[in-house]
Amino acid sequence: MNTNYQALPAKVKKLLRPMADGSGISLHTKKGMMIKLGGAFVLFLCAQALVLGVMLEGSEATFYRVLAMISAAVGLYLFCQSHRLVFDRATNRVLVQRSAWWRAPQRGDTQRADTVEVLLTRIDNNRRLQVGLLNQLYVFDQPSDAQALMAYLQQQFRVVALEQVSDWPNKHPWQAEDTPSVTAKSVPANTPVDVAETPMSELGLVVPIWSRGALLKLALPIPVFCVLAALVEYGVLL
């Protein structure tokens, strides 16, 4: 199967961002997502401080207006940062690229693409899969999307493609025709399985700590409680 960018599934095309000069593709990193999340959090606080600055009067209003300007500057600074994993076709190397709106991209340590290990593993319910490379995890609800990403990286950059699905926790070479939807052990049909009593290692489950949904659920209540506390403290809510 000859996989090119235009033939990729929509989610994979969204993950793989072509470089402006056509020299390769880039993927977001965990650090980049944390920076963006931090910027969004600070901008949310900026909006709340701006509301308080309008509602209150005197020195309190001045304090919140200044706080809104400072948090806006910090939030915009964080939000415009870029931290991405780059596959460079010209040199066939993988590197981390840091950039911002006001400065040229800066590239960190590089590694040959054909030495990068890309690992396909199962995440839960024997359906969702994740692709891991260079300490980054990319989770897919559809196994076909994960397969498409593996095939693209293998064909375009000759990465070391491995799978940990068919024989957990052992690693085996991955090929495009592999079907990772099978369970880690062969189980006869109609055999009841008590998932609660089955060790996680036998199910081949891997739970990502830094999933985007988990981070949002953890971070969103913080500004809400901060705003409520401020409103109660200054008598807006009685």
Side-chain angles (χ1 to χ4, degrees), residues 84-105:
R84 300 185 65 84
L85 195 63
V86 175
F87 281 80
D88 192 323
R89 282 196 179 89
T91 61
N92 196 38
R93 302 188 74 84
V94 184
L95 51 97
V96 174
Q97 179 174 283
R98 304 172 182 85
S99 62
W101 293 343
W102 61 86
R103 68 165 181 256

Side-chain angles (χ1 to χ4, degrees), residues 37 41 44 213-225:
L37 183 61
F41 172 77
F44 183 85
L215 289 173
L216 289 174
K217 290 177 183 178
L218 180 64
L220 285 178
I222 299 175
V224 175
F225 287 125

Side-chain angles (χ1 to χ4, degrees), residues 28-39 83-84 136 138 210-212 215:
H28 67 74
T29 64
K30 179 173 63 178
K31 182 176 180 180
M33 293 298 296
M34 292 296 295
I35 292 174
K36 295 288 187 184
L37 183 61
H83 190 278
R84 300 185 65 84
Q136 308 299 323
Y138 305 98
W210 296 106
S211 67
R212 186 184 304 179
L215 289 173

Side-chain angles (χ1 to χ4, degrees), residues 46-118:
C46 168
Q48 302 304 320
L50 186 59
V51 171
L52 290 174
V54 172
M55 295 177 60
L56 300 177
E57 297 179 353
S59 59
E60 293 178 348
T62 302
F63 169 78
Y64 280 107
R65 290 168 186 169
V66 173
L67 179 61
M69 290 188 293
I70 295 175
S71 56
V74 174
L76 290 174
Y77 173 81
L78 293 174
F79 207 73
C80 71
Q81 301 290 315
S82 177
H83 190 278
R84 300 185 65 84
L85 195 63
V86 175
F87 281 80
D88 192 323
R89 282 196 179 89
T91 61
N92 196 38
R93 302 188 74 84
V94 184
L95 51 97
V96 174
Q97 179 174 283
R98 304 172 182 85
S99 62
W101 293 343
W102 61 86
R103 68 165 181 256
Q106 298 178 344
R107 297 191 167 189
D109 296 336
T110 65
Q111 181 176 342
R112 286 177 50 187
D114 55 8
T115 65
V116 173
E117 181 179 296
V118 181

Side-chain angles (χ1 to χ4, degrees), residues 116-119 150 154 159-163 172-175:
V116 173
E117 181 179 296
V118 181
L119 180 63
M150 294 285 292
Q154 184 184 57
V159 297
V160 181
L162 303 172
E163 58 92 5
H172 298 282
W174 177 90
Q175 298 297 329

